[in-house]
Amino acid sequence: MTDHSPAAAASLRGRINTLQPHTARIWNYWLGGGDYYEVDRVAGDRIRELHPAIDEYARADRLFLGRAVRHLVAEAGVRQFLDIGTGLPTADNTHEVAQRLAPDARVVYVDNDPLVLAHARALLTSTPEGRTDHLDEDLRHVDAILQRAAATLDFTRPVALMLLGVVIFLGDDEDPYGVVRRLMDALPAGSHLVLSHTVVHPAMPDVDAAVQFWNAHGTPRLTQRTPEAVARFFEGLEVLAPGVVSCSRWRAEGTHGAEPAEVALYGGVGRKK
């Protein structure tokens, strides 16, 4: 269960570093939120100079989340979500999208950023019929995540594992595919993986410059991967149409026949058989 005590809140505040830019706060800045510090704004503006389309990535990822969750609830009947790498709350968070369609949906948010956790506990609340919880854990700690999430989620029933823009923080030497596979192995048939990941894209070389700048000045470090490498995270799963594609193009709605602009952030949804 989430610890809401004053001591826990004070511990979170003491862990917040306002002197170094942090990806969750910069992402919030790009999405138009207000939960960032001056150091984050400066870094975010510099990254935008290197790659002017970066704001579109943030919006594309958020819209992809909404489309994926709506499909899982309305079409696949999923009522449980394990959202790792939550990020700072903005509009249409996972539980809001899910509980709008299914008020009894249950969501466990997982993050290890203290500012994210402080805001999540205040803002990511549940409907009376459903439930949300928030875990202070690292994606690398698979066993701890699963053990603690089991207090809220029933792992005998399908769960949607949400990994949006978080696997990029696992280096190739940290067995990122093994981490995702261990999480999915713990979930029953009918569960789904929803994953997005920044990609190396030959048509967008300024993405590489932006990532290099971030890795030199921000935390945590990012690891870009090719679209083919991102697709590997879905091995063994039934990948839903249209496959692992630019997040802006995954079941995009309201385009009136015009294909949305591609972003160097790929995503997909896979079903465990």
PDB file of all heavy atoms in Angstrom, residues 39 199 214:
ATOM      1  N   VAL A  39      16.046  24.794 -14.280  1.00  0.00           N
ATOM      2  CA  VAL A  39      17.066  23.968 -14.929  1.00  0.00           C
ATOM      3  C   VAL A  39      16.437  23.050 -15.974  1.00  0.00           C
ATOM      4  O   VAL A  39      17.048  22.764 -17.020  1.00  0.00           O
ATOM      5  CB  VAL A  39      17.840  23.161 -13.864  1.00  0.00           C
ATOM      6  CG1 VAL A  39      16.953  22.134 -13.176  1.00  0.00           C
ATOM      7  CG2 VAL A  39      19.057  22.489 -14.475  1.00  0.00           C
ATOM      8  N   VAL A 199      13.560   6.162 -31.143  1.00  0.00           N
ATOM      9  CA  VAL A 199      14.304   5.363 -32.107  1.00  0.00           C
ATOM     10  C   VAL A 199      15.364   6.186 -32.832  1.00  0.00           C
ATOM     11  O   VAL A 199      15.274   7.413 -32.931  1.00  0.00           O
ATOM     12  CB  VAL A 199      13.365   4.728 -33.156  1.00  0.00           C
ATOM     13  CG1 VAL A 199      12.387   3.774 -32.502  1.00  0.00           C
ATOM     14  CG2 VAL A 199      12.634   5.791 -33.964  1.00  0.00           C
ATOM     15  N   TRP A 214      21.311  15.457 -24.116  1.00  0.00           N
ATOM     16  CA  TRP A 214      20.686  15.009 -22.875  1.00  0.00           C
ATOM     17  C   TRP A 214      21.645  14.138 -22.066  1.00  0.00           C
ATOM     18  O   TRP A 214      21.783  14.319 -20.853  1.00  0.00           O
ATOM     19  CB  TRP A 214      19.410  14.247 -23.168  1.00  0.00           C
ATOM     20  CG  TRP A 214      18.855  13.657 -21.909  1.00  0.00           C
ATOM     21  CD1 TRP A 214      18.914  12.368 -21.486  1.00  0.00           C
ATOM     22  CD2 TRP A 214      18.215  14.386 -20.860  1.00  0.00           C
ATOM     23  NE1 TRP A 214      18.338  12.229 -20.250  1.00  0.00           N
ATOM     24  CE2 TRP A 214      17.903  13.462 -19.846  1.00  0.00           C
ATOM     25  CE3 TRP A 214      17.857  15.733 -20.691  1.00  0.00           C
ATOM     26  CZ2 TRP A 214      17.273  13.840 -18.672  1.00  0.00           C
ATOM     27  CZ3 TRP A 214      17.225  16.111 -19.519  1.00  0.00           C
ATOM     28  CH2 TRP A 214      16.939  15.173 -18.526  1.00  0.00           C
TER      29      TRP A 214
END
